Amino acid sequence: MTSNYQKFWFELAIATTVFLILIFGEWLGIVRPAMSVFERALQPAVVKISQLVINTTQPLVLFKKSFNSARRVQELEQEYSQSLAKISELEYLEKENQELRRLLQTRQKTAPVMVAAPIISLGQPSISIGRAANVKIGQPVLVAETLVGLIKFTSDYQSVVSLLSQHTAVPILVRTESGVEGLVMGNGKNILFTEIPKEAEISIGELVVTVGQEQIQSQLLIGRVQQVVDQPSAPIKQAIIQQEVSFYEASIVEVLQ
Amino acid sequence: MIYFQRWLIRLVLIVLVGLFERVMGLPVMMIVLTSLYAGRLDQGWRWGLLLAVGVMMAALFMTPLSISWLVISLSYVWSKHARRLFSSKAIRLIVGSIVGSVTLVIFSFGQVYLQQLIYGVIAIFIYVVWLKRHRFYLK
């Protein structure tokens, strides 16, 4: 009995001593470079496992989507015909824009983009680049040019992404095609377009884009208005935004600097 | 006498489980396996295994090494020495791994999601059933 008691205190003493040594090492800054090496070494395996999970769950996702596929195809056909009409208009505007740029001799400034592989994790989606690639907290994360989240936390070779649908997501100032402004935030399940004035007219299917704020460029696509929630007792309107892409199904993501 | 190859195979197994658990978001099985394996090793190999797993856990879950060490070493000490509180080894492992992994994830990401806890409970349940069948021996 005494022996077990002594063993317990001996092992606890070892654990505490090593803990204090590690704390001291972290304070001196000698632990981080060593950890960085291990993080980098494990990175390919983490990405591979994530890709494996995506590939494994793909049939399930397709099966789930196939239930609404007929209705979805109809909607897409309608959207396609509307888009064709817009394209011709946009092509004319693009030509005009290029001509004006040539006259002004200006160059289009584009934000540098970093490409990364997503790392799937329940509740804690991450990407395979971090501080070593100059990723900073608050930078936008895009999938197929759609804003899906912001960088929440970084280490040397990984970064945690706060998806727009999560509770912890930072509110983002957005605007619809018709000019209605509001905030986008998550409720844990959906992406909510909230703080919409009661008198504002908002219709289903409208595109929602960012207005522009610190670290978030303007005109980044968020998604389409899927449902408008207008409760008589509420002082504001809310809408649910649908995104055509998903972080969990993407093979690559982009981080805007 | 524990041979280095055997020790390394166990470490690789724990790391593979850890890679899967990075996807699930909660290193429950990593802690259970480490606690079980470490209990059957000599002092030097034991602390070596705990440190190696601590390093891997810190790299996978983006947490400071001191925290992952504290979690893994205390989970081991708990599962080995808390007989007075819980006489059943299975319960000690469940409590140690759940508390340890939740602490680690909170230190790392700030919060734990329900999906992660559901995974933890399912993983522990399956593992305990398996352990009971094998009478707590891992060969």
Side-chain angles (χ1 to χ4, degrees):
Chain A
M1 194 69 188
T2 317
S3 170
N4 277 341
Y5 189 72
Q6 280 175 343
K7 267 185 189 171
F8 166 70
W9 283 109
F10 174 68
E11 294 198 327
L12 198 63
I14 291 178
T16 313
T17 310
V18 176
F19 173 67
L20 291 174
I21 291 168
L22 291 174
I23 287 274
F24 188 61
E26 280 170 354
W27 181 68
L28 287 177
I30 55 174
V31 173
R32 198 178 141 186
M35 286 308 305
S36 188
V37 171
F38 284 106
E39 203 177 326
R40 196 175 183 179
L42 284 172
Q43 201 62 8
V46 175
V47 172
K48 281 277 175 205
I49 295 274
S50 284
Q51 297 295 339
L52 193 72
V53 170
I54 294 172
N55 293 337
T56 313
T57 54
Q58 199 63 24
L60 197 72
V61 173
L62 288 172
F63 179 72
K64 199 176 157 188
K65 278 185 178 176
S66 66
F67 281 107
N68 302 321
S69 56
R71 189 174 53 85
R72 188 77 194 114
V73 166
Q74 271 187 334
E75 281 174 6
L76 287 170
E77 279 175 348
Q78 200 179 354
E79 283 170 18
Y80 176 67
S81 62
Q82 285 171 349
S83 301
L84 283 176
K86 271 190 181 173
I87 283 170
S88 59
E89 191 185 336
L90 286 170
E91 277 174 349
Y92 171 74
L93 285 170
E94 194 185 355
K95 274 182 193 167
E96 196 179 58
N97 194 338
Q98 279 172 351
E99 189 62 26
L100 285 167
R101 274 180 197 283
R102 198 181 57 79
L103 288 170
L104 291 166
Q105 291 183 329
T106 57
R107 289 167 65 189
Q108 192 179 5
K109 286 181 185 173
T110 51
V113 174
M114 292 174 290
V115 177
I119 298 170
I120 305 304
S121 176
L122 286 181
Q124 306 295 354
S126 312
I127 55 169
S128 61
I129 50 173
R131 282 193 293 257
N134 206 22
V135 174
K136 293 189 185 92
I137 292 169
Q139 286 179 335
V141 179
L142 280 72
V143 172
E145 299 194 16
T146 304
L147 180 68
V148 292
L150 303 174
I151 299 291
K152 182 183 166 191
F153 174 71
T154 59
S155 70
D156 284 346
Y157 293 97
Q158 291 181 69
S159 304
V160 177
V161 179
S162 172
L163 297 178
L164 296 182
S165 56
Q166 289 180 325
H167 271 299
T168 49
V170 177
I172 297 168
L173 198 58
V174 294
R175 181 194 298 134
T176 63
E177 285 171 293
S178 57
V180 177
E181 289 190 355
L183 290 175
V184 153
M185 55 179 76
N187 66 353
K189 192 181 172 189
N190 295 313
I191 303 171
L192 297 179
F193 179 18
T194 184
E195 305 298 325
I196 307 167
K198 201 78 171 162
E199 64 279 4
E201 285 298 321
I202 183 166
S203 52
I204 290 167
E206 270 193 279
L207 287 177
V208 180
V209 294
T210 56
V211 171
Q213 64 198 74
E214 194 182 355
Q215 288 191 300
I216 302 171
Q217 290 83 345
S218 60
Q219 294 298 315
L220 293 176
L221 178 67
I222 303 260
R224 283 180 185 278
V225 175
Q226 187 189 27
Q227 189 187 339
V228 180
V229 184
D230 187 9
Q231 291 174 339
S233 57
I236 51 159
K237 272 190 204 175
Q238 274 193 338
I240 295 170
I241 296 178
Q242 185 195 19
Q243 288 195 314
E244 302 297 336
V245 291
S246 165
F247 179 89
Y248 292 104
E249 292 165 33
S251 54
I252 55 162
V253 295
E254 292 172 335
V255 181
L256 289 185
Q257 280 193 325
Chain B
M1 178 78 181
I2 299 290
Y3 297 101
F4 176 67
Q5 281 176 334
R6 218 168 135 193
W7 180 89
L8 198 64
I9 287 167
R10 288 176 174 187
L11 178 63
V12 169
L13 175 69
I14 293 168
V15 173
L16 285 174
V17 171
L19 284 168
F20 170 72
E21 291 203 315
R22 176 65 180 86
V23 176
M24 304 318 288
L26 202 70
V28 182
M29 301 303 292
M30 223 178 164
I31 293 174
V32 171
L33 285 175
T34 310
S35 300
L36 275 171
Y37 285 162
R40 294 184 176 86
L41 295 170
D42 296 335
Q43 285 290 351
W45 293 104
R46 173 182 302 163
W47 296 105
L49 180 76
L50 289 173
L51 191 62
V53 173
V55 167
M56 294 302 172
M57 204 184 260
L60 283 172
F61 288 88
M62 302 163 73
T63 183
L65 180 57
S66 55
I67 298 298
S68 70
W69 164 261
L70 199 65
V71 165
I72 200 77
S73 60
L74 290 186
S75 298
Y76 156 71
V77 172
W78 164 267
S79 66
K80 195 178 176 189
H81 295 287
R83 285 188 196 123
R84 279 188 185 177
L85 289 169
F86 299 102
S87 57
S88 162
K89 191 172 186 178
I91 291 175
R92 288 206 301 276
L93 281 171
I94 291 169
V95 173
S97 59
I98 291 283
V99 171
S101 56
V102 167
T103 308
L104 188 98
V105 170
I106 286 173
F107 260 104
S108 174
F109 302 113
Q111 60 187 334
V112 176
Y113 287 91
L114 187 64
Q115 302 105 301
Q116 292 168 313
L117 288 175
I118 290 169
Y119 160 71
V121 171
I122 292 170
I124 282 287
F125 179 74
I126 292 169
Y127 198 68
V128 166
V129 169
W130 186 81
L131 276 174
K132 284 272 184 195
R133 281 191 171 189
H134 291 77
R135 295 180 186 177
F136 295 116
Y137 287 101
L138 288 171
K139 289 172 185 175

